[in-house]
Amino acid sequence: MSLAAEHPAAQRSNRDRLVVQARRLFAERGYAEVSVDEVAAAAGLTKGAVYYQFKDKADLFRAACEAVMQDVVRHVDAAGRGSGVPRLEELITGGQRMFDAYGSNEAHRLLLIDGPSVLGFGPWLALQEPIGACLVADGLKHYAIAGMVPANQIDALSHLLFGAFIQGVLRIASSPAAERDQTEREVREATGTLLMAFLRGLTPQETK
């Protein structure tokens, strides 16, 4: 669910109104093609109102990315949580739902296409932290409890697994439009293969 759906226009603050319109316009046309004036006009506010809330266009873009990322996290968190029992299906299903969440037009354009160049690689990677270091790590904790993953490796493993996933979504995002569906199918299948190979190799004996 998007921010726009959660907060009717009459109840949203000026900042929220700007973020709602910014994420819509950036998703439709891309960062370079959208001006601060256009965002202000779409929100029914003045250009001065934008600069009252944000330092510049890049700061507004960052806020739009953060709002989209919150939607991604909510989607994966709500749809991908398992029963708490370490089964192979849990992380694999969660991984596929991450692809679903990142596949929205807003996530595709803001987080994958424009995000790395506008925000810079470091800040862009940090933006993914709620999924990379929290949701993936949360899933791995079940395996640690079962003695299949050393607890002191959860942080590193979550970053490594999420790194493989983020490379997958970037591959999909950067593929030609005519080939994107095929690329997505291949990436999803390869991700499933990777996770199955990893999880099937986990045994309680490995932690001794």
Side-chain angles (χ1 to χ4, degrees):
M1 182 180 294
S2 70
L3 184 64
E6 290 180 2
H7 302 286
Q11 299 177 13
R12 290 197 296 268
S13 67
N14 285 352
R15 182 183 176 86
D16 287 341
R17 288 163 62 185
L18 290 166
V19 169
V20 166
Q21 296 305 322
R23 60 189 285 180
R24 177 181 67 82
L25 290 170
F26 288 140
E28 289 175 356
R29 291 159 49 201
Y31 178 80
E33 300 301 319
V34 176
S35 69
V36 169
D37 298 86
E38 289 176 287
V39 176
L45 299 168
T46 65
K47 185 176 180 178
V50 177
Y51 289 111
Y52 181 79
Q53 299 289 341
F54 305 97
K55 293 187 297 183
D56 50 27
K57 179 181 168 181
D59 192 34
L60 173 60
F61 178 78
R62 181 189 304 276
C65 285
E66 289 171 349
V68 174
M69 193 67 211
Q70 288 171 5
D71 285 351
V72 170
V73 171
R74 278 194 292 266
H75 177 90
V76 176
D77 195 27
R81 286 187 182 275
S83 63
V85 178
R87 297 192 302 265
L88 295 181
E89 292 80 5
E90 289 184 4
L91 275 182
I92 292 177
T93 300
Q96 296 302 321
R97 283 168 175 160
M98 278 193 270
F99 281 113
D100 293 339
Y102 274 90
S104 72
N105 189 46
E106 288 183 337
H108 182 267
R109 186 73 199 216
L110 275 70
L111 300 181
L112 303 177
I113 301 298
D114 290 338
S117 59
V118 176
L119 301 177
F121 183 75
W124 171 79
L125 195 60
L127 186 67
Q128 321 301 318
E129 193 77 0
I131 284 186
C134 295
L135 297 180
V136 177
D138 188 61
L140 288 174
K141 286 176 184 176
H142 299 312
Y143 293 87
I145 291 171
M148 295 180 174
V149 173
N152 64 351
Q153 291 183 14
I154 290 177
D155 184 63
L157 281 172
S158 65
H159 280 84
L160 288 169
L161 289 174
F162 186 68
F165 166 78
I166 206 67
Q167 285 297 318
V169 294
L170 286 172
R171 180 178 174 82
I172 295 168
S174 62
S175 63
E179 302 173 12
R180 190 160 296 145
D181 287 345
Q182 177 63 25
T183 300
E184 181 172 352
R185 284 193 294 272
E186 293 173 352
V187 169
R188 282 176 179 264
E189 290 174 0
T191 301
T193 300
L194 176 65
L195 288 174
M196 286 294 287
F198 167 71
L199 295 174
R200 282 174 173 163
L202 298 179
T203 65
Q205 288 73 33
E206 292 184 4
T207 64
K208 292 180 179 180

